[in-house]
Amino acid sequence: MTATHTGHTQTHSTKRHWAEGLTVFAAIMLMIAGVLDILRGIMAIAEDDLFVNTPNYVFEFDLTSWGWIHLALGVAAVIVSIGLFQASTWARVAGMAIGGLIIIGNFLSMPYYPVWSIVMIAFSGFIIWALSVVREEDFDESFSTPPRSR
């Protein structure tokens, strides 16, 4: 009589689902953040009237400059999110970096569009959390080997 151990495969399956789920969550959130940052960049480049003009701000840039910064961050976020859908390790690292840059960019441009900057900071915080909470071995196992069925 042979004994089968289902505990290991169930743990492997659970880790696999968590790694896949969090990576897909981060990819979708980063894609949304990127598209929204692209739209914000286009609005700022076009000098839309939605933005608040705050005088005497320490990190004062021209609104067009902020538009190009947000446009570049948005394009980079969309490219990295496509890499996350393909489960690339470089995309995971780059996703955390882009998330951090989006946080910094939105913090520095907060006087121009304060509520949206806070929303994007929170969005990017979730992206960084989702990409950093999955351990490397779970991430590699989940996308490189198919689940075993017994």
Side-chain angles (χ1 to χ4, degrees):
M1 184 175 258
T2 59
T4 57
H5 299 286
T6 58
H8 178 66
T9 57
Q10 189 173 12
T11 304
H12 177 73
S13 177
T14 303
K15 285 183 181 180
R16 176 187 178 96
H17 292 302
W18 270 100
E20 288 175 354
L22 286 174
T23 304
V24 169
F25 170 78
I28 291 170
M29 292 285 283
L30 192 61
M31 177 75 75
I32 292 169
V35 168
L36 292 174
D37 232 12
I38 289 170
L39 294 175
R40 182 179 179 179
I42 291 170
M43 285 184 341
I45 292 169
E47 296 187 17
D48 199 353
D49 293 335
L50 284 169
F51 293 96
V52 178
N53 190 4
T54 305
N56 301 327
Y57 184 57
V58 175
F59 303 110
E60 187 175 344
F61 284 107
D62 181 34
L63 189 58
T64 305
S65 300
W66 280 119
W68 284 108
I69 290 169
H70 285 288
L71 184 65
L73 284 173
V75 168
V78 168
I79 290 169
V80 169
S81 70
I82 292 169
L84 282 171
F85 281 119
Q86 298 173 355
S88 301
T89 303
W90 68 266
R92 202 169 150 224
V93 173
M96 287 187 274
I98 293 294
L101 289 174
I102 289 174
I103 288 174
I104 292 169
N106 280 290
F107 175 76
L108 294 177
S109 66
M110 197 175 293
Y112 297 103
Y113 210 35
V115 175
W116 190 247
S117 292
I118 293 170
V119 169
M120 289 300 289
I121 288 170
F123 231 56
S124 298
F126 280 123
I127 292 166
I128 293 170
W129 170 80
L131 290 174
S132 63
V133 75
V134 177
R135 294 187 316 230
E136 188 69 33
E137 58 268 8
D138 295 340
F139 185 77
D140 289 340
E141 285 177 8
S142 68
F143 293 104
S144 62
T145 60
R148 289 190 252 169
S149 61
R150 290 189 184 206

